[in-house]
Amino acid sequence: MLSKSAARAFFIGGTLLTGVAFAALTVHTHQTVPEQSNEANLTPAVERGHGIWTDENCMGCHTLLGEGAYYAPELTKVVERRGKLWIKTFIKDPEAMFPGRRRMVKYDFTDAQIDDLIAFLEWVGNIDANGFPADPPYAPAPQAVIVGGRSLDNAPEVFKSLCTACHMVGGKGGNVGPPLDDISARYDAASLDAWLVDPQAIKPGTAMPKLPLTPEHRKAISTFLLETR
Amino acid sequence: MKYKTQQIAWLFFATSMLLFALQLVYGFIMAFAHMGYDTLHPWIPFNAARAVHTNLLVMWLLSGFMGAAYYIIPEEVEREIVAPKLAVVQWAAFVIVGVIAIIGFHFGWWEGRKFLEIPRPLDWLVVVDVLTFVGIIGVTIWKGNRPTTTAIALYLGLVLAAVLYLPGMIHFKSQVLDSFYRWWVVHLWVEGVWELVMGGILSFLLIKLTGVDREILEKWLYVIVGFTFLSGILGTGHHYYYIGAPRIWLIVGGVFSALEPLAFLGMAMYGIAMARKGGRQHPNKNALLWTLGCCIMSFTGAGFLGFAHTLPQVNMYTHGTLVTAMHGHMAFWGAYGMLVFALIAYAMPELTGRARHKGKMAEWAFWMTTIGMVAMTGAFAVAGVAQVYMERMTGLDFLDVQDALQVHFFGLVLAATLFTTGFALYVVDFVKYGLPRSGGAPRTTTNGSADDVVVAVGARAAEG
Ligand code: HEM
Ligand code: HEM
Ligand SMILES: [Fe+2]
């Protein structure tokens, strides 16, 4: 039978052996991480953003690289998914974007702070995380048929980043607001522009938020939405 | 109780009970928020509730471990604790730092680093406090007659836990390296050195409760903790798959963490075998029930449910979902919560000379918490698997999926209510045991926080 001293030797030997291997892998990790995480792009803005992320404990609701809490969306790829303009608008007033849904804290960040946060999230999004998050394997294939002939492919950037979070066009986008494929049936350039300047003024209490659109943005959007095909 | 200074343990046990009660309150706050009732959001947003819930967990477990050391070490090494007054100061300082941290969380004084939210200045106080503790126990063992393997395992576990706290305090610019070292604390604690503490406490309990031969028991203790470290150290890799660390961790972490359940299986078999083998019929059947419960639930929660998501192919989809929360609850409760409860169930009759362990209440407390926790794990499991399928596999929107999961959080609340009722029975028993008895004990009640005085007063009332 196994003796006590043999058992002790197994304990000490095993621990030392794996301990040494762990130390070696730690060194290897330090050598690999700078390239794998694009440390060259880790600018002071990213660092400041990281600071805000930690100070506000965003990880207490969200996950980032799969670490954190399970109450709010995973943010690793959020810049790619939503775009910078959308995130900026959202953080200023989270409830306006998701009326009546689960609440995020409304922070009094300055524009510069939000830019830093976005820089941080963008840096994280570019880390090579060995394939995480994976594309959903059972996701329905993208719709080949385009409803009413309108497609997001030729939508202006601002539309893709700000409006598709809530509206669908060509079967793609969010469902907070109605699909916008047939808007030309109900709106002309003037009425659409007025709506986009301030939805609340046209329809008080509406769930569509006032968005930060420049006149050029509004022009591009109404050209896209009202174009007849 | 053979040594007067073992009474110090009572302070830590009482603190554990209180902090755990508060932890449960914050658990309910989060469960309701998940159900869509986030009424408290303006005052206690989810991230505050979560930081409080998990930090209280760590604090009450550490408090329980420290109490365990103050209780077990004198009996093992056969002498009184050195510097009992300093030990009471060490306890008071621990409570004060803990209370400041918890209050601070409500005002945003924290660091958003999961499980290590305590801000750096307080970290230093924690370090000083734990060093004092380690010093007191270390000198006691040194001066004692009999440095048993059981005592050394317990002590080594606590010392290494203190040492491993340090890498978590290093600051890194990079989120990746920050995470990398955070796991040196979190993972190497629960799947490494805390298992030494577990081995030590379980050995002590089994020796006392079953009268099994110390030599045999301590030999197997080496084998089990040998397996723990062999698998657990490199098993840290299961947290490094998808955080930007090199790919080699997928293989190393996958293989070694898949072996980790063996250590928990070993622990369970060891407990059950020793309980069968032992000749003694100790009257405290309730403590034996908790001890065996701990062996079985730790294997189920940590070993079995840990294995369920530890392979990189699975973890790709479950990483950071409610599946993790499912495993976290049963593992923490089964391995460490029940361990502390088992020791308290053993120690209270010895400390107070009362025999409440024979009562029905003690038995109900065990079964209600156990069944409650199994049901809570079930609720998290259903929610977690549904989330993985809908969000990660099918690509549905996060918030839409969460709406669909609300009903499972109703289930969670029901299960948690059963669990909490069981815990309440345990606390009633704890209070009714009263204060430790025997003359000349260290004055344990006057240095207490307001809350402890309440318990002490309650205990006196029950006595009188
Ligand atoms: C008593 C022992 C254990 C406790 C208390 C415990 C607790 C936890 C907790 C709280 C987490 C969440 C950590 C986070 O994401 O921040 C976690 C994650 C994890 N645990 Fe354990 N665990 C234990 C043992 C094990 C074992 C033995 C295994 C493997 C066989 C395991 C596998 C995992 C995995 C793979 C994750 C990562 C989940 C993810 O990617 O989100 N655990 N554990
Ligand atoms: C009244 C009973 C309880 C309820 C309702 C409850 C509920 C919750 C909820 C909703 C979360 C947050 C999950 C998220 O991020 O969305 C959580 C986290 C957690 N709870 Fe509890 N809990 C309870 C008791 C316990 C107990 C008894 C323990 C351990 C002994 C525990 C350990 C944990 C841990 C370790 C986490 C972090 C999990 C992770 O990050 O994966 N909880 N709890
Ligand atoms: Fe782990």
Side-chain angles (χ1 to χ4, degrees):
Chain A
M1 250 315 250
L2 182 78
S3 71
K4 189 165 171 180
S5 59
R8 189 188 299 134
F10 165 71
F11 164 63
I12 295 175
T15 306
L16 281 181
L17 222 65
T18 49
V20 168
F22 189 64
L25 285 167
T26 300
V27 173
H28 174 65
T29 304
H30 271 280
Q31 288 165 344
T32 329
V33 163
E35 202 191 314
Q36 201 169 344
S37 64
N38 309 306
E39 225 160 74
N41 300 342
L42 205 164
T43 58
V46 173
E47 215 181 315
R48 286 193 302 269
H50 188 184
I52 302 173
W53 173 264
T54 330
D55 285 347
E56 299 299 344
N57 190 11
C58 309
M59 207 190 203
C61 289
H62 291 280
T63 49
L64 187 68
L65 293 166
E67 297 184 337
Y70 321 126
Y71 187 67
E74 157 63 51
L75 294 183
T76 309
K77 293 285 179 196
V78 70
V79 177
E80 187 184 310
R81 179 168 73 234
R82 297 293 200 186
K84 295 183 188 180
L85 186 59
W86 184 92
I87 297 178
K88 199 161 182 170
T89 320
F90 166 78
I91 288 187
K92 284 188 175 157
D93 188 0
E95 269 183 69
M97 280 287 186
F98 296 95
R101 306 299 289 271
R102 190 174 275 186
R103 280 182 288 179
M104 165 152 153
V105 178
K106 185 173 174 187
Y107 294 101
D108 298 317
F109 291 140
T110 61
D111 279 350
Q113 283 175 314
I114 298 182
D115 288 340
D116 291 344
L117 264 174
I118 293 176
F120 169 66
L121 291 171
E122 189 177 24
W123 177 76
V124 170
N126 287 325
I127 292 174
D128 169 8
N130 299 333
F132 181 84
D135 288 330
Y138 307 141
Q143 291 269 304
V145 193
I146 291 154
V147 188
R150 215 176 291 279
S151 144
L152 272 184
D153 291 345
N154 33 33
E157 275 314 310
V158 57
F159 188 91
K160 283 190 214 160
S161 71
L162 273 186
C163 316
T164 49
C166 295
H167 292 286
M168 279 196 218
V169 165
K172 277 197 266 180
N175 55 7
V176 179
L180 296 182
D181 301 86
D182 59 346
I183 273 310
S184 53
R186 271 165 293 138
Y187 287 80
D188 60 21
S191 61
L192 182 58
D193 197 65
W195 174 258
L196 292 180
V197 169
D198 188 0
Q200 304 293 329
I202 310 286
K203 187 173 172 190
T206 174
M208 165 135 167
K210 183 173 170 175
L211 297 162
L213 299 170
T214 61
E216 293 77 49
H217 287 150
R218 297 199 301 273
K219 182 99 187 10
I221 290 172
S222 64
T223 314
F224 166 63
L225 285 178
L226 300 179
E227 209 179 0
T228 39
R229 305 180 167 245
Chain B
M1 180 180 53
K2 298 202 187 86
Y3 299 91
K4 269 189 330 209
T5 45
Q6 285 180 293
Q7 299 187 1
I8 298 168
W10 184 88
L11 285 174
F12 287 89
F13 295 157
T15 309
S16 275
M17 294 294 109
L18 252 154
L19 298 181
F20 187 35
L22 256 181
Q23 186 206 337
L24 295 185
V25 173
Y26 284 82
F28 277 108
I29 295 178
M30 286 193 288
F32 279 112
H34 266 284
M35 269 167 76
Y37 303 105
D38 61 348
T39 324
L40 288 173
H41 173 84
W43 305 281
I44 309 178
F46 190 88
N47 54 350
R50 193 183 212 280
V52 175
H53 185 69
T54 52
N55 282 272
L56 279 173
L57 169 66
V58 175
M59 281 180 209
W60 80 258
L61 290 178
L62 286 179
S63 179
F65 291 171
M66 291 198 270
Y70 282 117
Y71 184 83
I72 292 175
I73 294 299
E75 258 183 63
E76 283 291 304
V77 308
E78 301 183 329
R79 66 154 291 146
E80 295 283 358
I81 294 283
V82 299
K85 288 217 178 74
L86 185 60
V88 175
V89 173
Q90 184 259 321
W91 163 79
F94 179 80
V95 174
I96 291 169
V97 174
V99 168
I100 295 178
I102 297 304
I103 295 176
F105 290 162
H106 291 83
F107 297 96
W109 194 40
W110 55 18
E111 285 172 11
R113 302 164 73 235
K114 192 176 177 189
F115 290 113
L116 304 182
E117 284 91 349
I118 295 184
R120 302 288 152 113
L122 283 183
D123 276 344
W124 288 109
L125 291 182
V126 174
V127 169
V128 172
D129 191 68
V130 172
L131 283 180
T132 314
F133 163 79
V134 162
I136 296 172
I137 300 293
V139 173
T140 307
I141 297 179
W142 183 254
K143 289 194 173 167
N145 299 326
R146 207 174 53 141
T148 61
T149 306
T150 303
I152 300 294
L154 175 60
Y155 184 60
L156 194 65
L158 292 164
V159 171
L160 289 175
V163 172
L164 282 171
Y165 194 67
L166 301 175
M169 290 167 63
I170 315 171
H171 179 80
F172 287 98
K173 274 203 289 190
S174 162
Q175 168 74 22
V176 179
L177 290 176
D178 198 82
S179 237
F180 185 83
Y181 284 100
R182 198 169 54 80
W183 290 114
W184 282 39
V185 190
V186 183
H187 170 95
L188 288 178
W189 268 10
V190 299
E191 289 155 73
V193 297
W194 282 22
E195 283 183 61
L196 271 180
V197 175
M198 183 176 177
I201 297 180
L202 282 181
S203 291
F204 174 81
L205 285 169
L206 289 169
I207 290 170
K208 295 289 164 185
L209 293 170
T210 69
V212 68
D213 179 44
R214 182 182 281 274
E215 277 299 301
I216 299 182
L217 208 121
E218 291 185 342
K219 178 176 81 188
W220 287 110
L221 182 60
Y222 273 122
V223 175
I224 290 168
V225 296
F227 261 109
T228 300
F229 283 2
L230 195 66
S231 58
I233 295 178
L234 289 172
T236 317
H238 65 189
H239 303 288
Y240 297 159
Y241 298 154
Y242 305 120
I243 63 165
R247 224 165 222 291
I248 187 162
W249 286 114
L250 268 68
I251 299 162
V252 176
V255 169
F256 283 87
S257 70
L259 296 175
E260 282 182 45
L262 288 180
F264 285 95
L265 184 63
M267 201 91 77
M269 285 172 28
Y270 159 87
I272 294 167
M274 296 302 156
R276 283 212 182 143
K277 225 176 170 167
R280 188 187 300 169
Q281 286 290 318
H282 194 281
N284 195 340
K285 290 271 175 292
N286 189 245
L288 188 61
L289 190 60
W290 279 102
T291 306
L292 295 181
C294 170
C295 290
I296 294 166
M297 289 279 278
S298 63
F299 171 67
T300 322
F304 179 71
L305 293 181
F307 184 80
H309 62 158
T310 204
L311 298 178
Q313 299 87 325
V314 179
N315 193 258
M316 170 62 92
Y317 296 101
T318 59
H319 181 43
T321 62
L322 291 163
V323 168
T324 309
M326 153 200 86
H327 155 70
H329 278 86
M330 201 183 213
F332 255 115
W333 172 249
Y336 301 118
M338 291 182 80
L339 181 69
V340 169
F341 274 51
L343 185 77
I344 296 180
Y346 171 75
M348 285 311 277
E350 307 286 327
L351 283 170
T352 62
R354 290 197 168 76
R356 299 195 58 82
H357 53 85
K358 295 198 172 129
K360 271 272 160 275
M361 191 119 91
E363 209 178 324
W364 277 94
F366 173 84
W367 288 109
M368 287 172 84
T369 48
T370 303
I371 296 171
M373 181 50 77
V374 170
M376 279 171 64
T377 309
F380 270 124
V382 176
V385 171
Q387 181 192 5
V388 168
Y389 188 77
M390 293 199 276
E391 184 194 331
R392 297 289 177 87
M393 313 286 268
T394 317
L396 293 177
D397 176 67
F398 178 91
L399 281 179
D400 293 343
V401 172
Q402 293 293 313
D403 286 347
L405 300 182
Q406 283 179 357
V407 57
H408 303 302
F409 281 88
F410 179 63
L412 179 73
V413 165
L414 289 183
T417 307
L418 181 66
F419 178 87
T420 307
T421 314
F423 169 63
L425 295 182
Y426 192 93
V427 172
V428 169
D429 250 352
F430 184 89
V431 172
K432 287 198 172 167
Y433 268 118
L435 295 175
R437 279 203 292 202
S438 88
R443 298 206 6 254
T444 50
T445 53
T446 42
N447 305 17
S449 68
D451 287 335
D452 279 296
V453 174
V454 172
V455 171
V457 169
R460 284 231 184 75
E463 244 175 331

